[in-house]
Structures are given as structure tokens and as C-alpha cells.
């Protein structure tokens, strides 16, 4: 893959990946705006990859229209609704550009921003991601996003930029790295951070969708959030161990105190353990067994955390091409 179309031009090819799920109300407008903002550019060629994520409305027919009227359009049709992240993954596999831009179909990511992204790319950045400045979604959704990004940042071991969505430009090297990751639960903005490369954010205002309804139900959004947290952090597992350790220390103390109490016959609230035979035994056993259980679950959690890391099958590291000195050896 050269990233150049036909070979007769040396303009780079820019691919735009657009995941679409039931977007009949907005898709024509989106295509027009994309072509208007990017189609006339003379210093790059354009390819627009529409990924139909199992739409049940006329989205697919509309994409067919584009194909028949515009040689720059590529259609990828998924056999059913696999979800936004899977659709983006498919788009990245089939995009051939030297740089690939991922953009929502509903014009919530302004196509004009792509030109600014391309400028950054030309300046040498390999990952240029959009940072959502002013959201116009409802208060509840905004609060959910806000908490999620901060929680994820606290839990994840990698630097996922806050308020960055999927809207981004990726250089071919980053696209190839992402395509090579074998895992199935794909939280793209996490993976994008994970692969590294030289990156920069661009701020933009996120308007409401131009037409149609959000395709992210609260349930889908929650699944996305959980994918984000659980694919990038095993801290929840480690926390069980921490709680287990703390509670066993506390229960050891309780154990000793109860033992002393029952041996010395001191009155607390006017009672001694001797007033209720068997009470001390039950409390001591309860302390002991429950803290042992938490501790064991925590230890199992540590192993599961490691198994989980291995099954993700991500490579241990990624490198750029290795460079060797061309100087003759002994100077
Ligand atoms: N989308 C998709 N498959 C899905 C859900 C959404 O391909 O199962 C696409 C959708 O067509 C849009 C993008 O993902 O291009 C973002 O979805 P949406 O705008 O509904 O999400 P929101 O902006 O409300 O978070
Ligand atoms: Mg949207």
C-alpha cells in the first residue's frame, strides 16, 4: 500500500472512514459537506470509506448512490450491526490512504476540522485527535461523559486524553499498528492511545447531530464505557486484594479484642460475652472466615488480572523501524 492513488500523482491519499448505522436522515448532507470541505483540495487525493454497520433503513441505498456517482467512495457493508467500534475497525482495515480520518456520520465532528488535522499531520504528527470543547448533549449525558473520562484516566495505565472521541487522523504507521492488534473488545480511543506515536490534540466545538437520533442507547454507551475501563485496567481486581488485606488486618484486631473481652469479663454496654454463650465464637469465626474469603478472592483476582493481560494478546511493545549507524565500525 503506497497511500497514493494510481501512482500518476504524488499527492498523498487521505481516507475518511465514516461508520453509519441507520443514518438515512443525515448521510447525504454529510457526504456533501465532506466533499465541500475536502473534495476541492489540490494537495491531496480523497477516499471516503462508508461502513454500513447493518443498517435497517435506506442507508445502504444512499451509499450505493454515492458509489455510482463518485469514484472516490468505497463501501464496506457489515452483515449485521456489530457496533460503532467494530465498524471503525472495519473501516481502518479497508482504508488505503497515507492518513486516515475517522469521523461520525452525523456531522457532530465538523469536516472543516479535518483540514486543520491534515496540517498537523503534514507538520509531522502521526496521531491528531479531536478534543471536544463544548458539548451540547443533555446534562445527564455530559455528566456521564465527564465522570467516565476522569475515572478512566485514574484507572487506566495509559494516557488516554480526556474528552477525546473517535474523531481523529491517523498516519499509516498508526493505522497499521491498530490493525495488527488482535483483541476483539475494541475501545478505539484507548487503543489509539496505547499504540503511541507522535500525537497532538485539536480543540473543536461539538454541535448536536445534524439530523436523526443518537444511535447510542444508554445501554450501548454503558457497554462502551465498561469496555474502556475493563480492557485497559485491572485495578478493579487489585482493589479486591487491597480490601481483603485491610479487612483481614481489621479482623485480626477484632479477633484479639474479642478474645480479651471474653477472657476478662469486662462489661461493654452493661454486658459481657458470657451473657450470650457462643456469641464470641460466632463473631470470631465470622471475622476470620470473611476476611480469608476476601483475601483469597483478591489473590485469585491477581492471577485473573495476569491471564487477562495475556489473553488480550497485545504485543509487549511496538517500535519504529530500527536504525543502524552507517559509519564504519572503529572510530
Ligand atoms: N454507529 C455505528 N454503529 C452503532 C452505533 C453507532 O456505526 O451500532 C455510528 C453512527 O452511525 C455514528 C457514530 O457511530 O456515525 C456515532 O453514533 P451516534 O452519533 O449515534 O452517537 P453519539 O454521538 O450520540 O454518542
Ligand atoms: Mg453523534
Amino acid at each position: 500500500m503506497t497511500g497514493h492513488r494510481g501512482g500518476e500523482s504524488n499527492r498523498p491519499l487521505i481516507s475518511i472512514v465514516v461508520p453509519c448505522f441507520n443514518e438515512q436522515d443525515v448521510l447525504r448532507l454529510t457526504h456533501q459537506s465532506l466533499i465541500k470541505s475536502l473534495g476541492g483540495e489540490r494537495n491531496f487525493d480523497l477516499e471516503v470509506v462508508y461502513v454500513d454497520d447493518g443498517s435497517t433503513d435506506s442507508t445502504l441505498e444512499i451509499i450505493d448512490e454515492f458509489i455510482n456517482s463518485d469514484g472516490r467512495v468505497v463501501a464496506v457493508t457489515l452483515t449485521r450491526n456489530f457496533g460503532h467500534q467494530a465498524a471503525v475497525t472495519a473501516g481502518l482495515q479497508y482504508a488505503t490512504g497515507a492518513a486516515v480520518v475517522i469521523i461520525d456520520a452525523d456531522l457532530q465532528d465538523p469536516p472543516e476540522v479535518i483540514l486543520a488535522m491534515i496540517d498537523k499531520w503534514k507538520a509531522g504528527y502521526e496521531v491528531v485527535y479531536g478534543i471536544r470543547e463544548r458539548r451540547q448533549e443533555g446534562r445527564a449525558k455530559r455528566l456521564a461523559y465527564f465522570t467516565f473520562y476522569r475515572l478512566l484516566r485514574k484507572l487506566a495505565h495509559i494516557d488516554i486524553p480526556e474528552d477525546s472521541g473517535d474523531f481523529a487522523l491517523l498516519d499509516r504507521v498508526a493505522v497499521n499498528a491498530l490493525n495488527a492488534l488482535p483483541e476483539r473488545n475494541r475501545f478505539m480511543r484507548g487503543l489509539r492511545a496505547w499504540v503511541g506515536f507522535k500525537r497532538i490534540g485539536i480543540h473543536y466545538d461539538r454541535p448536536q447531530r445534524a439530523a436523526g437520533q443518537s444511535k447510542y442507547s444508554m445501554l450501548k454507551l454503558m457497554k462502551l464505557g465498561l469496555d474502556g475501563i475493563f480492557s485497559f485496567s485491572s485495578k478493579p481486581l487489585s482493589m479486591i486484594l487491597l480490601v481483603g488485606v485491610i479487612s483481614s488486618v481489621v479482623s485480626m484486631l477484632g479477633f484479639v479484642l474479642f478474645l480479651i473481652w471474653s477472657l476478662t469479663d469486662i462489661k461493654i454496654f452493661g454486658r459481657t460475652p458470657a451473657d450470650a454463650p457462643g456469641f464470641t465464637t460466632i463473631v470470631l469465626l465470622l471475622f476470620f472466615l470473611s476476611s480469608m474469603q476476601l483475601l483469597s478472592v483478591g489473590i485469585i483476582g491477581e492471577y485473573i488480572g495476569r491471564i487477562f493481560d495475556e489473553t488480550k494478546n497485545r504485543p509487549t511493545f511496538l517500535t519504529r523501524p530500527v536504525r543502524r549507524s552507517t559509519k564504519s565500525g572503529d572510530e
Side-chain angles (χ1 to χ4, degrees), residues 37-56:
S37 313
L38 308 168
E41 280 291 328
R42 292 315 339 146
N43 51 10
F44 59 80
D45 288 330
L46 187 67
E47 167 187 79
V48 189
V49 181
Y50 288 100
V51 184
D52 172 47
D53 184 17
S55 298
T56 49

Side-chain angles (χ1 to χ4, degrees), residues 104 106 108 206 209:
D104 280 359
D106 57 3
Q108 280 195 292
R206 191 160 164 88
R209 63 164 40 240

Side-chain angles (χ1 to χ4, degrees), residues 8 56 93 118 124 140 157 159 181 190 194 221 223 302 318 322:
E8 81 283 331
T56 49
Q93 297 273 352
I118 293 174
H157 310 291
D159 190 18
L181 292 183
W194 185 88
L221 207 59
K223 169 152 191 328
E302 286 299 305
L318 296 175
V322 175

Side-chain angles (χ1 to χ4, degrees), residues 165-177:
D166 286 317
F167 184 32
L169 176 147
L170 306 166
D171 183 81
R172 174 52 50 193
V173 285
V175 175
N176 288 348

Side-chain angles (χ1 to χ4, degrees), residues 294-309:
L294 260 182
L295 206 60
S296 330
V297 171
I299 291 173
I300 294 175
E302 286 299 305
Y303 283 102
I304 293 185
R306 281 160 184 75
I307 294 173
F308 159 74
D309 268 344

